Amino acid sequence: MFSNYLIGLREGLEASLVVCILIAYLVKTGRREALKPIWTGIAIAVALALGFGFALEFGSQELTFQAQEALGGSLSILAVGLVTWMVFWMRRTARHLKSELHGRLDAALAMGTGALVATAFLAVGREGLETALFVWASVHAASDGTPRPLIGVALGIATAVLLGWLFYRGALRINLAKFFTWTGGMLVVVAAGVLAYGVHDLQEAGWVPGLTNLAFDISDTIPPDSWYGTLLKGVLNFQPDPTVVQLTVWLLYLVPVLTLFLLPSRVPVRMAGTAAGTAK
């Protein structure tokens, strides 16, 4: 549940910061008439992300078992690729996010209502689609037959919305560099588990060999249905009996990606209150 909460918090906060920057800029420059098309674009982006998530969940239920495993494994690997790109992109460009969005918004204001809707839709829609895909892959990997993974995601998004509102009101300031470093590092760990689970899905679909070649089996020590086994599964997507291929892929992803991500950045990230462009 914690890993899904982290996904909802991290992805939701990025979208919240984008919304805060757009809304605060229009309010501070006295262009409140442009708020309606901005909110329209945001609403369309959210609806698209939700529709994409529902299509993934309910569309896959009509497939055969092997097709479900092949689809789940492929989308899990795609989701890991997207979230990896996202955490590095945010680490590199967060400092310039505000000025970049302001430039796009100025151009859209000059073009009219449709351009404003499109600007908000594109700014939030990309985050929404990435979130829907990674959430689906993570919930699929950590699912234990209960709604806890989805509850974790919902709580994370709700927290992100609250934090975004506090940033906008100027009531909260945090160091974005530390926040995105810590959450990004934890997301890399979560992504490694999703990647390993995706490879296991492809093995069950018959696309990748080695399904019966286990690296180890500690199910007797850490039973999957025990409270600590469930906790490890929910937080780290831990599996007590991974295959050799799963363990190899997990190590080949986690060690280099986490090392590169944690290397000191040369570009400092400004405070959240400043990045959000607090409107008064």
Side-chain angles (χ1 to χ4, degrees), residues 46-129:
V46 171
L48 177 65
L50 290 174
F52 180 55
F54 278 112
L56 287 174
E57 177 61 25
F58 295 105
S60 63
Q61 294 179 3
E62 302 300 322
L63 303 175
T64 64
F65 173 77
Q66 284 191 327
Q68 286 183 12
E69 297 303 295
L71 177 64
S74 301
L75 290 180
S76 294
I77 293 172
L78 175 60
V80 169
L82 288 175
V83 80
T84 304
W85 173 83
M86 178 271 297
V87 295
F88 279 97
W89 176 83
M90 179 55 74
R91 182 172 180 264
R92 184 179 67 253
T93 63
R95 185 188 181 201
H96 308 290
L97 183 62
K98 179 182 176 182
S99 58
E100 180 182 338
L101 287 173
H102 284 180
R104 292 182 184 178
L105 200 52
D106 283 334
L109 284 166
M111 295 175 65
T113 301
L116 286 171
V117 173
T119 298
F121 170 77
L122 292 174
V124 179
R126 179 182 62 82
E127 300 287 348
L129 291 176

Side-chain angles (χ1 to χ4, degrees), residues 2-230:
F2 174 76
S3 62
N4 295 288
Y5 174 83
L6 175 65
I7 295 168
L9 175 62
R10 167 71 187 235
E11 301 287 333
L13 187 57
E14 287 186 24
S16 294
L17 287 176
V18 169
V19 172
C20 286
I21 292 171
L22 294 175
I23 300 301
Y25 183 62
L26 291 175
V27 172
K28 291 184 72 173
T29 56
R31 299 169 178 176
R32 291 179 178 270
E33 71 281 356
L35 289 176
K36 185 176 180 179
I38 291 295
W39 282 116
T40 300
I42 292 170
I44 295 174
V46 171
L48 177 65
L50 290 174
F52 180 55
F54 278 112
L56 287 174
E57 177 61 25
F58 295 105
S60 63
Q61 294 179 3
E62 302 300 322
L63 303 175
T64 64
F65 173 77
Q66 284 191 327
Q68 286 183 12
E69 297 303 295
L71 177 64
S74 301
L75 290 180
S76 294
I77 293 172
L78 175 60
V80 169
L82 288 175
V83 80
T84 304
W85 173 83
M86 178 271 297
V87 295
F88 279 97
W89 176 83
M90 179 55 74
R91 182 172 180 264
R92 184 179 67 253
T93 63
R95 185 188 181 201
H96 308 290
L97 183 62
K98 179 182 176 182
S99 58
E100 180 182 338
L101 287 173
H102 284 180
R104 292 182 184 178
L105 200 52
D106 283 334
L109 284 166
M111 295 175 65
T113 301
L116 286 171
V117 173
T119 298
F121 170 77
L122 292 174
V124 179
R126 179 182 62 82
E127 300 287 348
L129 291 176
E130 286 180 2
T131 301
L133 178 58
F134 194 59
V135 163
W136 181 85
S138 180
V139 169
H140 180 67
S143 179
D144 55 3
T146 73
R148 284 181 294 185
L150 289 176
I151 292 174
V153 172
L155 290 175
I157 293 175
T159 303
V161 172
L162 175 61
L163 290 176
W165 181 79
L166 291 174
F167 292 158
Y168 176 79
R169 302 301 301 176
L172 180 66
R173 293 172 65 86
I174 64 172
N175 189 309
L176 280 184
K178 291 183 178 179
F179 176 85
F180 283 121
T181 296
W182 280 100
T183 58
M186 288 187 286
L187 266 188
V188 169
V189 175
V190 172
V194 172
L195 178 61
Y197 192 89
V199 169
H200 186 266
D201 277 352
L202 294 182
Q203 289 182 303
E204 290 193 324
W207 287 20
V208 176
L211 179 61
T212 59
N213 187 15
L214 300 183
F216 54 82
D217 187 350
I218 54 174
S219 300
D220 292 337
T221 305
I222 307 178
D225 56 352
S226 64
W227 69 266
Y228 45 92
T230 302

